[in-house]
Amino acid sequence: MNSKKAESKSNMILNFFSSVKLAITLFILLAATSIIGTVLPQGETLQFYLENFGPTYFKIIKSLQLYDTYHSWWYLSLLGLFSINLIVCTIRRLPYTLRLYQKDALDLSKDDIARRPFKRIWNIKGKADDTALHQRLRSLFEKAGGKVKFRSNVQGGELYLIEKGKWNYWGVYFIHVSILIIFVGAIFGTFTGFKGRIMLLEGETTNQVMRVDQAGNIETIPLGFSIRCNKFRVEFYPSGAPKLFQSDLSIIKDGKEVKKKSILVNDPLSYNGITFYQSTYQALPEVLVKITASNGKQELLRISAFEKTAWPGTGLMLGLIKFLPNVHGAPAARIYIGDQAGNGDALWLLKGHDKEYQAGHTTYRISLVGGGEKYMTGLQVKKDPGVWIVWLGCTMLILGFAVVFWVPHQRYWLWIGRGSSDLEIILAGQTNKNKVSFEKHFRRLEAEIENHIGDA
Amino acid sequence: MQITSSFLLSLTTFFYLGAAAVYLLYWIFRLEKVGLLATLITISGWCIETAGIALRWKESYALGYGHAPLSNLYESLIFFSWVTILVYLVVEFKTKNRVIGAFATPFACLAMAYASFSPNVQDTIQPLIPALQSNWLIAHVITCFLGYASFAVACGFGIMYLIKGDGKSGSLLSALPSKKVLDELMHQTIIFGFLWLTVGIITGAVWANQAWGTYWSWDPKETWSLITWFVYATALHARFVRGWAGKKIAYLSIIGFISVIFTYFGVNFLLSGLHSYGSS
């Protein structure tokens, strides 16, 4: 090796080490700073931090965006630097690894072989022409497992090679590239997808999603189709712990139901790349009233909180203000009743005690039939076209680890040379992982050859 | 008397305590028979524990809940000790060195004792809440705990490496495997644990995506598992830096395990988040 070559090589190794040092520095920095967001409450209003931590710490929290640590400029910069480190490291090492990979392990001199980390040399006097011994040594060598490669005339001898797991070299690349792929998937998903919420009463339909942006403004995103909640169900164990949250949903496009599914917490509904997850629910009071007009017209009306119910054909509007399931043994409700112009009144109804309401020339007699709860389901809505890229990266990551961990690059050499009267034998081995277990295998092979030579 | 899973699992605690003590005696007196006894106690304890876990699974069906015993802190501690002993037995079988037992079995024993005797840990079989009703529960818990248990054993190697010091005199220290072997074992168990921690984080992400629609939400448990991941990533890369092999990696294997413990307990007790059901 000439000095120029040595210099460029050492320079390369130096650069390589310096970037591993950068990687380690980043690991430590990321580990340490990640703690902040697990200790300091995240995503609160700025007012919250000012009140709880005082003006001095508030300044730090605000300028370093510690209220949203993992999306702050400096944390994202660390992740960016980490990505650059991975890319540079990968590109720099690529030619070096490629050369290692392409290197022919038979292309070694006798002295090179004798310099391997594991080796044994025998000199057997007077056996130079024992071709049977030579043959037996060769078949013993096969016990190392794998295909035997052969080259004659290596410094007057024959060189045998068994090489396994050469592609182990690429395992680390697999891992590093897969982390970059995960980042790409996450970034792609952030810019092309959205995340929002829908609250739907049983029977209600919507065609848009609500999203709260970082400034706290609510914006709506059109879905391009409609979604209806047909029914919501909640069940509890005897202990009171929740057992089941279930929403029966329908997707409606151009007035037609195109998809129907009962979703559970771990079983969402997907349509057109948008997925609906069971997230929360709310129980809203609902009452049933019987209303009789003085002209003899009669109707049973279901009145819910947060919406007005019309009695068709009369112009009467009703609403629920409050529902109390048990007032001295009977349910009671405070309802609103009025006309479309906004004239109206609030009435307390107790079951068994009817109330009257006068509108124009008509008197209405209202009685409370019963009350209960109506459910409103809370759905998490997400569109994330990048998620498949993330899963691809994750799969590659696991495969990469499997290669690195379970496929060591191992080489065994056997050189048999004939001197004037002696047979010279060199057994050598090298591995890049798990030296302890390799050494065990190597020593076993060595012992077998030793025994054999003893017998011969 | 009806044998219950609680009885078998309490019994396991004493077996592991006994095993730890006998391994310690073996380390001091180095009598092969004592070593063999320690291994036998460990294997018996592990078999009883296996039976206990299986019985608990059966009991949950009898109660009408029917789920794998991996759903709360008590069950996860039991599983942690089970995997730790399994990983240790594999290491003992491969290295033929029983002194390691004195450093590995105490972790399993402590986990069992904490599960059985701490008032913070409820040992009743509870039904699964909707968020936990998923096939990913088993995959996520098993992979995470394979990682945690490997890190416990790696921490044992780290401690051995550090107390070995220069390893000159002292018959006790000379009984420990050589530093070269310890360093290699530490590295192997860390890679093994790192692989499973990674798979555990990924299965958790897949599950979270299915349940909540986000594969990563910076919940404290997630973040701490990432912190742990960074610590072990440091340990794995440190090997490539001159002068970082050995002692520094031994320290990292201990710091890493502290981070594991915090991910496991600290987050449940000190911080709140999506994984809060793991705390009772």
Side-chain angles (χ1 to χ4, degrees), chain A residues 17 27 34 38 70 75 186 195 237 242-243 265-266 268 277 380 382 384 390 397 401 405-406 434-436 440, chain B residues 94 127-128 130-131 133 184 191-192 194-195 207 209-215 218 223-224 234 237 240 271:
Chain A
F17 279 139
F27 288 147
S34 293
T38 68
Y70 308 112
Y75 194 84
K195 213 162 108 181
Y237 292 107
K243 184 180 182 180
V265 173
N266 274 293
Y277 301 85
Q380 174 88 40
K382 196 185 185 193
D384 185 358
V390 173
L397 187 58
F401 272 117
F405 189 68
W406 279 297
N434 203 353
K435 292 197 173 60
V436 175
K440 215 184 278 170
Chain B
K94 285 208 152 188
L128 293 182
Q133 293 164 8
E184 182 68 26
I191 298 187
F192 187 72
F194 194 66
L195 160 73
W207 185 9
N209 190 58
Q210 199 181 56
W212 302 309
T214 33
Y215 49 82
W218 296 105
T223 309
W224 270 97
T234 308
H237 288 80
F240 299 108
L271 310 168

Side-chain angles (χ1 to χ4, degrees), chain A residues 189-365:
Chain A
T190 309
F191 286 105
T192 56
F194 65 79
K195 213 162 108 181
R197 303 182 69 80
I198 289 180
M199 293 298 289
L200 273 182
L201 276 167
E202 287 175 306
E204 201 180 4
T205 307
T206 187
N207 57 8
Q208 59 188 23
V209 185
M210 311 281 267
R211 180 168 66 172
V212 182
D213 69 13
Q214 294 202 308
N217 304 312
I218 296 172
E219 54 173 334
T220 55
I221 304 161
L223 283 170
F225 55 85
S226 296
I227 182 161
R228 184 178 68 216
C229 172
N230 302 314
K231 184 141 190 63
F232 177 80
R233 215 145 63 91
V234 58
E235 285 175 20
F236 297 92
Y237 292 107
S239 65
K243 184 180 182 180
L244 176 99
F245 303 127
Q246 179 186 311
S247 298
D248 296 351
L249 303 176
S250 289
I251 301 288
I252 297 147
K253 180 135 193 175
D254 306 322
K256 270 193 297 192
E257 184 180 80
V258 287
K259 196 168 186 176
K260 200 173 171 174
K261 187 176 178 180
S262 295
I263 66 160
L264 301 169
V265 173
N266 274 293
D267 190 12
L269 161 72
S270 283
Y271 183 75
N272 233 359
I274 302 175
T275 311
F276 299 88
Y277 301 85
Q278 181 65 58
S279 170
T280 56
Y281 78 98
Q282 244 182 315
L284 299 173
E286 183 185 64
V287 293
L288 198 63
V289 296
K290 193 170 128 186
I291 178 160
T292 315
S294 49
N295 60 14
K297 207 175 166 186
Q298 207 179 50
E299 185 79 347
L300 265 176
L301 285 177
R302 191 176 289 276
I303 312 171
S304 305
F306 305 123
E307 59 177 352
K308 282 197 175 156
T309 308
W311 184 7
T314 63
L316 214 57
M317 300 291 288
L318 292 100
L320 180 64
I321 299 164
K322 197 172 190 132
F323 173 67
L324 300 169
N326 192 343
V327 176
H328 304 299
R334 188 164 163 81
I335 63 157
Y336 164 85
I337 183 163
D339 60 21
Q340 263 140 350
N343 310 308
D345 205 356
L347 305 174
W348 268 111
L349 299 175
L350 189 66
K351 194 177 179 179
H353 299 267
D354 299 354
K355 279 269 170 73
E356 285 188 350
Y357 173 73
Q358 187 79 30
H361 303 295
T362 321
T363 307
Y364 298 94
R365 172 172 278 275

Side-chain angles (χ1 to χ4, degrees), chain B residues 242-255:
Chain B
R242 237 185 285 268
W244 265 64
K247 206 167 173 181
K248 286 209 172 77
I249 296 176
Y251 279 119
L252 280 169
S253 81
I254 295 168
I255 294 169

Side-chain angles (χ1 to χ4, degrees), chain B residues 164-225:
Chain B
K164 179 102 179 166
D166 296 326
K168 279 178 209 155
S169 55
S171 60
L172 272 185
L173 294 184
S174 61
L176 298 176
S178 73
K179 273 187 158 181
K180 191 181 124 199
V181 170
L182 281 174
D183 186 53
E184 182 68 26
L185 284 170
M186 201 157 61
H187 185 65
Q188 288 297 320
T189 39
I190 288 177
I191 298 187
F192 187 72
F194 194 66
L195 160 73
W196 289 114
L197 176 67
T198 308
V199 180
I201 292 174
I202 292 172
T203 52
V206 174
W207 185 9
N209 190 58
Q210 199 181 56
W212 302 309
T214 33
Y215 49 82
W216 193 263
S217 46
W218 296 105
D219 144 83
K221 194 93 161 183
E222 284 173 357
T223 309
W224 270 97
S225 71

Side-chain angles (χ1 to χ4, degrees), chain B:
Chain B
M1 190 187 96
Q2 170 106 34
I3 290 178
T4 63
S5 64
S6 307
F7 170 73
L8 290 179
L9 293 170
S10 305
L11 194 64
T12 308
T13 314
F14 293 102
F15 267 77
Y16 289 164
L17 185 65
V22 180
Y23 274 121
L24 204 63
L25 285 178
Y26 169 72
W27 182 27
I28 297 166
F29 298 108
R30 222 101 22 84
L31 295 166
E32 277 317 306
K33 274 186 185 163
V34 176
L36 188 66
L37 179 68
T39 305
L40 286 177
I41 295 173
T42 311
I43 294 173
S44 313
W46 189 77
C47 291
I48 294 169
E49 188 175 20
T50 310
I53 292 171
L55 190 58
R56 190 174 168 94
W57 202 334
K58 197 173 155 257
E59 285 167 357
S60 96
Y61 272 93
L63 282 169
Y65 303 146
H67 60 78
L70 300 168
S71 70
N72 59 16
L73 184 59
Y74 175 79
E75 290 171 342
S76 72
L77 282 162
I78 302 293
F79 187 66
F80 170 76
S81 76
W82 188 84
V83 187
T84 304
I85 292 296
L86 183 63
V87 171
Y88 164 68
L89 284 172
V90 171
V91 170
E92 184 189 299
F93 179 76
K94 285 208 152 188
T95 61
K96 310 277 178 229
N97 187 315
R98 291 203 170 101
V99 178
I100 300 164
F103 294 84
T105 49
F107 288 110
C109 175
L110 282 173
M112 288 302 291
Y114 182 66
S116 302
F117 305 120
S118 166
N120 285 333
V121 185
Q122 274 183 32
D123 68 348
T124 51
I125 299 178
Q126 294 142 338
L128 293 182
I129 60 166
L132 295 180
Q133 293 164 8
S134 169
N135 290 330
W136 289 102
L137 171 69
I138 295 180
H140 178 55
V141 175
I142 287 180
T143 49
C144 284
F145 280 85
L146 268 169
Y148 291 180
S150 312
F151 292 145
V153 175
C155 175
F157 287 136
I159 294 170
M160 288 166 86
Y161 190 96
L162 291 178
I163 63 170
K164 179 102 179 166
D166 296 326
K168 279 178 209 155
S169 55
S171 60
L172 272 185
L173 294 184
S174 61
L176 298 176
S178 73
K179 273 187 158 181
K180 191 181 124 199
V181 170
L182 281 174
D183 186 53
E184 182 68 26
L185 284 170
M186 201 157 61
H187 185 65
Q188 288 297 320
T189 39
I190 288 177
I191 298 187
F192 187 72
F194 194 66
L195 160 73
W196 289 114
L197 176 67
T198 308
V199 180
I201 292 174
I202 292 172
T203 52
V206 174
W207 185 9
N209 190 58
Q210 199 181 56
W212 302 309
T214 33
Y215 49 82
W216 193 263
S217 46
W218 296 105
D219 144 83
K221 194 93 161 183
E222 284 173 357
T223 309
W224 270 97
S225 71
L226 186 69
I227 292 167
T228 306
W229 195 86
F230 282 133
V231 174
Y232 286 108
T234 308
L236 291 179
H237 288 80
R239 284 202 138 206
F240 299 108
V241 181
R242 237 185 285 268
W244 265 64
K247 206 167 173 181
K248 286 209 172 77
I249 296 176
Y251 279 119
L252 280 169
S253 81
I254 295 168
I255 294 169
F257 191 60
I258 292 169
S259 176
V260 166
I261 291 174
F262 195 80
T263 309
Y264 189 5
F265 299 107
V267 173
N268 291 346
F269 294 132
L270 303 175
L271 310 168
S272 65
L274 297 169
H275 275 80
S276 53
Y277 38 73
S279 63
S280 58

